[in-house]
Each structure stands twice: as C-alpha cells, then as structure tokens.
Amino acid sequence: MQKKYKYAIVAVIAVVVIVAIAASLFGGVKDNDPTHLVVTSINHAGEPEAGFNPLTGWGCGHINFNPLIQSTLFNSDKDGNIKNDLATGYNISSDGLKWTVDIRDDVKFSNNDSLKASDVAFTFNEARTSNSELDMSNLDHATALNDTTVEFTLKKPQSTFIYSLRYIGIVPEKGYNNETYGKNPIGTGPYKLKQWDKGQQAIFVENENYYGQKPYFKQITMLFPEEDNAIEYAKSKQADVVQASFMNLDQKIDGYHMVEYKGSRAQGISLPFLNDTGEKTDQGNPVGNNVTADPAIREALNIGINREEIANTVYQGHATPDSTGIDLRAYSNDAAKVKDNQVDEAKKVLDEGGWVDSDGDGIREKNGLKASFKLYYSAKNMDRQSLATVVKEQAKNLGIEVELEGTDWDTIYKNMYNSPVVFQQSSEDPYKTVYQQYHSKENYTEDNYMNPGAYSNSEVDSVLDQAMTTTDLNASNDLWAKAAYIDSNNGFGPAAEASWLWIVDYNHCYFVGDDIDMGTPPTMPQDYLQNICEWKRVDK
C-alpha cells in the first residue's frame, strides 16, 4: 500500500475517533428522546468567543439569525418581511430622529422577572459602547417612556435603523454584567442555556416562560466542530442537522437528505475604481489600478464571465447567479443587472475601448499597459480559491490576465485599494450592502474594508443619502435600487459603472436527518434555526 493512502486512512480513523471521544465526554450525541435535537454550528455562526451575549456579537449581523436565548424587537417571516416580535408596533417622527416602539406587556425573562421598556433601553444604550458587530454610532440614546414604550433618539435620520432593532437580542438591566453575562445569559427567547463546554458544545433547554409558539424540541445540543470534521457527525449518526462545508457539497449520506436555504452569501470581486495617481492609504500603500479603472475592463468582465457555469462547477449547483450582490434583496434593481456569458460582446467592448492584443501573447494591452492584474483571496478559504481559479480561466478567454494571490487578510487589506479581491457580503441591511459599499470614501483606511475599490460618484452619493434619511422604508428600498442604476453612466451596478464583479449567491446547505421536519421552507435568505419552534421529529 502506498504511503499516501496509509496517511489518508489514518486521517479518517483519527476523525472518527475524535467524534467518538467527544461524544462520550461531552454527551454531544443523539439519544433516545425524540424531543432532543443535536445540530452543528460552523461557518457564519459558530461558537461565540465571548459567550452568548448579543452585545458582544452573539447573533448580531448574521442573516435573520435566531439567538435562541434572547428575543428581538422585530423578526423576519419566511419571505423576509420584518414583523413584530417583542414589539407591537412603532412610529417615526417627521424629522426621522425619534423612533418610538411599543412592546408586549406579557413577557418574562427566564429568571421570571418581567420584561420592561427599561430593559430594552438599557440594551441599546449598552450596545453603543459594547463590542457588538452592529454599528450603533448613530444612536444618541434610548429612553423608557413607561413600562411598555421605548423611545430611540438618533443623531441623524437613518432609515436602516429598523435592522438594528431587528438584530439585537434584549438583555435584562437588572444584574447585567458584560464580563459574565455571556456564560450565564438570561433572556426571553424560546430556550435557555443549560451548559456550555467551551470548544465543544452548548446545551439549550426550553424556556418555560417563552411567550411565543412552544417548541417541539425541549433540548438542543449545539456542537462546534472544525468545519472539515463536521460531516463525521452525520456519517456516524451523532447529529440531526449538520452544516455542509464547501468540500462536502457532493456527499450523499444514508439517513440524511440535503436541505438548501437561499444564499445570503454574495460572492464577488472588488474592482479598484480609481487610476493609480500616486495616492496612498493611511498606511502608505498604493491606491488605484490603471487596468480595472478602465470602464471597458469592468464591463467586459461583467458580461463576459459565465456565472451559471461557476455556480454549477465551483459550488456543485448550490449557488445562484448574482450580478449586483443584492439580487435576492427587496431593494434589488432588474435594470442594473446584465446578461452574462456574452464572450463575443465582451471582446467587442474591449476592442472599442482600445484594448487589443498587438503582440500575439494572448493578453490585450492599451497604450503599452497589459490587461493584467493580481486577484487576492483568503488562502484559508477553498471556495474562494476555486472561484478565483475559474474567473482567471474565463478572463483569459477575453484576453485579460489574472494573477492569483492566495494570502492572509492583513496582506489583502494592504492591497485592496490597488488590486481586486474576492469578498463575500451576507447582511440584509442596505446600510452595509449598499450605503457603506458604494458611498464615496473620504479616507482610504485599511481597517475599513467596505467599498474596497474606492468607488465614487456624486450622483449615487446623493441618492444614497436620500435613502438613508427618508422615514418610509418602502421609499428607501426604491432609492437603494435606484443607486444601482440611475442611467447607463451612473450607478454602481454592472449595467451602469460596473463597480464590482459580483458572481453568485452561495446557498447554505445542511445534511438533515430524514426524521426531521424543519417547518415551512423560507423563500428568502435566513438562518437555519430562525423558525426552530416549527421544527419537529417525524416518522421516516
């Protein structure tokens, strides 16, 4: 037997042994109680380093994430529409600076204390200075007007504040300690934390005080395996739901079926928008790229690549083409999208733009400049490496040379203003996916990875500012959409200025036991535990 095969067998045995040991030591296995559920948590969620505290990152910013222990003021339905949870309604002042939210009067925390508006105000006031993933810098203060009404005062109008109200789980004011809460959280969600074996698992049990639909599953064991090892919990029948990693998308496991949720993970390549004129970042690194700053290059890439082929090959069909990065959002704009796989048309655009292969080496040039650039990606992410590799080959067919640079994030941040980078965006909040991504930057700082291509357009800025300041959520969605395509010369979308090369939305995939009913499937991106109270175990 060849040595490499011996090593492969040893590696597989080692993983199986690890799973077995973990199961015996920590109890992270399916038992005979049908109301006990075992799931894995990797990728976008994973184990919270600071514990189960929404003010230090637990659940905040992840697409329609269910924090399990805490409740939020608002929630999302299966179609992605925002609906009441703890809140019973809200209104916004005419100047957009005050948001008044009414809350339920029948909610108790898991320790039997009643939820009051003062707890809500406390939570948001704490979030302004905590290590939350949400940007709360625009919140001036929150005030409890009475036990069931809280008023939020903003520094300036912000239509997207509804997403902040949607994502932050409410914590109790009484007894809250930022250092210890994450280990012993008190909340109003459907579950409470029973046990946390850091680095291994967390066990949640039903919160009898929960005001909503009572969950069928009375206990959830959440395992935190390494991404590459997670599949072993399905193969050994030790978990009910296991997230499928990129390397395991084509696996078939007896007793399990694949469940796929629409992707909240838009995969794209930033394209430096500015020419290299000698300008530097705050750390002294170059800004601008004379190749990608040319509109013909950006347009050709957007219409010349084959997104469907990438979805079917790189992601084994578990992705959908996305040309704007927000194709699945309520604020997408069909006018901003383009038809791709138009190789001949892309070549024509390059020809008319002055990019021709005059020396026969297969690479176009213009005024002595080769149509060539480096493409950076995180070396730790196999999916991004695979995506970059296919884009390189497809661009080569257009006469554009792409040099791949797999490296660490520190190196990427140093070069993101001068070279294309493979990025992912997963928020549904247009403040992140549109405003921060496309509003002109005043400074080129390497600690701010939003708008890494330094896209800049004053007309787009004006539309984005209007979208931020309106008090009508529907009107703001129309304005976010407009910013993608004002006309063929103005707009961040590929049918206008093509500021990015967005490629696909990568779906979330799960190996689910055949006896698990996950309830009504969502039509819009959401976390897999979002509707956990609908889940149940059924006969096979």
Side-chain angles (χ1 to χ4, degrees), residues 43 227-228 244-249 265-269 310 313-316 319 377-391 409 422-424 503-507:
N43 295 331
E227 182 174 357
D228 292 342
S245 72
F246 174 74
M247 300 302 293
N248 297 316
L249 291 176
R265 299 177 289 181
Q267 312 294 309
I269 295 173
I310 292 173
T313 56
V314 174
Y315 302 96
Q316 305 290 320
Y377 64 89
S378 169
K380 290 184 177 181
N381 296 94
M382 289 299 297
D383 54 329
R384 300 190 191 193
Q385 178 183 356
S386 299
L387 174 63
T389 300
V390 176
V391 169
W409 279 108
V422 179
F423 279 108
Q424 168 181 291
I503 303 173
V504 297
D505 275 301
Y506 177 20
N507 295 340

Side-chain angles (χ1 to χ4, degrees), residues 362-374:
I363 306 172
R364 295 171 181 266
E365 60 267 347
K366 179 179 180 179
N367 299 327
L369 176 66
K370 289 286 187 182
S372 176
F373 56 79
K374 291 182 178 180

